[in-house]
Amino acid sequence: MDFTLLHTDPNSNARAGFITTDHGTIETPIFMPVGTVASVKAVHFHELKEDIKAQIILGNTYHLYLRPGLEVLEQAGGLHKFNGWDRPILTDSGGYQVFSLSANRKLKEEGAYFRSHIDGSKHLFTPENVVDIQRVIGADIMMAFDECPPGNAPYDYAKKSLALTHQWLKRGVKHFDETDGKYGYSQTFFPIVQGCVYTDLRKQSAEFVASLGREGNAIGGLAVGEPTHTMYEMIEVVNEILPQDKPRYLMGVGTPQNILEAIERGVDMFDCVMPTRNGRNGMLFTSEGIMNMRNEKWKNDFSPLDINGTSYVDQAYTKAYLRHLFISKELLAMQIASIHNLAFYLWLVGEARKQIMQGTFAAWKKEMVVRLGRRL
RNA sequence: GGGCAGUUACCAAAGUGGCCAACUGGGGCUGACUGUAACUCAGCUGUCUUUCGACUUCGGAGGUUCGAAUCCUUCACUGCCCA
C-alpha cells in the first residue's frame, strides 16, 4: 500500500491524495461503505461500482469469522473471490463488537473471550489470531484488535483500557510482520488510536501509534456517546501528532457534517453504517438536508427524490412513491434509500476532494455544513 | 313470527360495580439510529393543558347505586339458528 499526498488546503488541515493497493486506487478523502457480512446491505456490487462509485468497502472480522467461517473463506480463495468484489477491502478487527456486544464478552490480558451472538458458542480473539483471521479473509487493509470504550468511560477505566490496547497493538504489529498474506497480493496493518475523551491519553496514544511507523493510522473510540465538539477536539489533538504522509482513518464516523469537519481537521478515510442503516429506516441524506421519508408531508410530493442527486434513483423515483414504499414496508424502499445515501456520501467526499484541489475547501465546507443539518 | 348471541376509541378486540380515558394487536403520527446482533427501536394516538391535572366517553334513552363500560328497563341496529 502506498499513500500520495496531492494537495493540502491553505486554510485548514484538509488534504487530498490517493492510496494505491494491489486491488486498485482509492482517492482521498474517501468514504467506505460498510459491508459487515461480505455484503453492503440492500445494494448490488454493480450499483456500488457504477452508480455509487464506491472505491473500497468494509468487511468485519468478527462477523465473517462466525459466518461463513474461515474454512469457507479460505476455500473460496479469500473474501474478494468469495463475494466478487475486486476492488480494495478493509476489515475491521472485531474491536467494535467487543464494545457493542459487551454483555457477551470478558476482557483479559491475552485477549477477549466472547460468546457468539448467533449460537452462544465460546471464542477467544487475541491480537495475533485476529491478524491470522484477516490474513485468511485477505483484506487489503486490516485493523488492529483494540478495545473501544464507551464515550462516558471514566478516566481510570480509559487509562487501563488504553494500556491494554497498546499492549495488543504491539503484539498485533509483531505478528503481522512475522506472517505473510495467503493470496499473492500485499496487505497492510493499521493501528488504532484510543484514549476516550481525555487529551493526555489521546496524545499519548497518538504518539505510540505514530512510533509504530505503519502505512496508515486509525482513530477509534469516537462517536460513541461523547459530545460532538469533544470528538472534534480529540481529532485535532490526535492529528497534530499522527504523521502527515500517512492516511488517517476515522473509524465509524459519521454524519455528513461530521465527515466535513473531520476532513477539515486532516482525516482521509471514513466508514459508517449511517447511510445504509438510516436509509433502511427511512432517512435520506441530501445536499439540502435530511428527510424522513415516512413523514406525511411527502404523501403528495411528486417531485424527484433529490434534484441535485447524482444517482439514477434520484431522478427515477418521486418522494411520494418512496414514502409509499416505506409505509408499505416494501424491500425496494430500502434499496432505493441505500443507493441514494451511499451515492450522496461518495459525492460529498468527492466534492470535498475537488474543493481541496482547487483551494476552495474551507468556504465550501462552511456553507455545506449549514445546509446538511437542515431538516426537510 | 320465535330463540340465542352481540353493539367498546380509526379497525380488530379485552374489560362484566370503584385499581378505567379503558389491556393487547393492527393502522396512523413523530423521533432515534455514527468501526451493523438493527427491513430495528422508542414515544404519542378522546378533548384541553408544557407538566400536574381537568373535562367528556364504552349503540340511544331512562333508572338502581355513594360510585356504572360493567346491574335493571326500554328502543334501535347486527349476526346465527328455528319457522
Side-chain angles (χ1 to χ4, degrees), chain A residues 81-101:
Chain A
K81 289 269 170 58
F82 181 57
N83 69 5
W85 177 257
D86 55 9
R87 293 181 184 175
I89 294 175
L90 180 151
T91 44
D92 181 33
S93 62
Y96 187 77
Q97 279 63 43
V98 168
F99 158 70
S100 67
L101 304 172

Side-chain angles (χ1 to χ4, degrees), chain A residues 154-166:
Chain A
Y155 186 83
D156 284 353
Y157 183 89
K159 192 171 177 180
K160 237 180 262 177
S161 165
L162 185 63
L164 184 67
T165 287
H166 284 179

Side-chain angles (χ1 to χ4, degrees), chain A residues 123-149:
Chain A
H123 304 268
L124 167 66
F125 269 1
T126 67
E128 290 85 7
N129 74 8
V130 162
V131 167
D132 293 335
I133 295 167
Q134 292 179 99
R135 291 287 193 200
V136 172
I137 293 171
D140 297 272
I141 301 172
M142 68 170 77
M143 300 306 300
F145 189 56
D146 63 340
E147 190 200 349
C148 176

Side-chain angles (χ1 to χ4, degrees), chain A residues 196-209:
Chain A
C196 296
V197 297
Y198 306 106
T199 303
D200 62 321
L201 297 183
R202 284 282 171 186
K203 277 185 181 168
Q204 182 197 332
S205 187
E207 273 155 15
F208 178 74
V209 163

Side-chain angles (χ1 to χ4, degrees), chain A residues 332-345:
Chain A
L332 181 59
M334 290 179 263
Q335 298 179 35
I336 292 172
S338 298
I339 291 170
H340 162 85
N341 281 346
L342 285 176
F344 172 68
Y345 266 62

Side-chain angles (χ1 to χ4, degrees), chain A residues 276-325:
Chain A
T276 41
R277 180 193 287 166
N278 289 28
R280 290 196 304 283
N281 291 333
M283 184 173 179
L284 251 54
F285 297 92
T286 79
S287 57
E288 298 300 317
I290 58 176
M291 294 191 281
N292 182 345
M293 292 317 297
R294 293 193 319 254
N295 283 175
E296 194 171 27
K297 59 186 157 203
W298 311 120
K299 196 171 189 170
N300 297 303
D301 188 331
F302 304 105
S303 62
L305 273 191
D306 179 4
I307 47 168
N308 302 318
T310 56
S311 71
Y312 72 91
V313 299
D314 291 312
Q315 318 300 330
Y317 299 105
T318 66
K319 298 181 181 84
Y321 180 62
L322 183 57
R323 173 179 192 273
H324 160 72
L325 294 178

Side-chain angles (χ1 to χ4, degrees), chain A residues 202-273:
Chain A
R202 284 282 171 186
K203 277 185 181 168
Q204 182 197 332
S205 187
E207 273 155 15
F208 178 74
V209 163
S211 76
L212 297 172
R214 310 314 299 187
E215 295 175 297
N217 301 296
I219 307 168
L222 291 175
V224 286
E226 79 286 0
T228 308
H229 66 88
T230 305
M231 169 168 80
Y232 296 150
E233 283 167 33
M234 293 301 117
I235 295 169
E236 287 169 21
V237 165
V238 167
N239 277 353
E240 223 165 276
I241 297 166
L242 291 182
Q244 295 284 335
D245 59 346
K246 302 286 170 60
R248 299 167 179 149
Y249 164 30
L250 178 58
M251 305 184 75
V253 175
T255 66
Q257 299 100 302
N258 291 162
I259 288 175
L260 293 189
E261 294 291 352
I263 288 174
E264 185 173 49
R265 289 164 172 80
V267 174
D268 308 294
M269 302 165 70
F270 301 89
D271 79 282
C272 191
V273 303

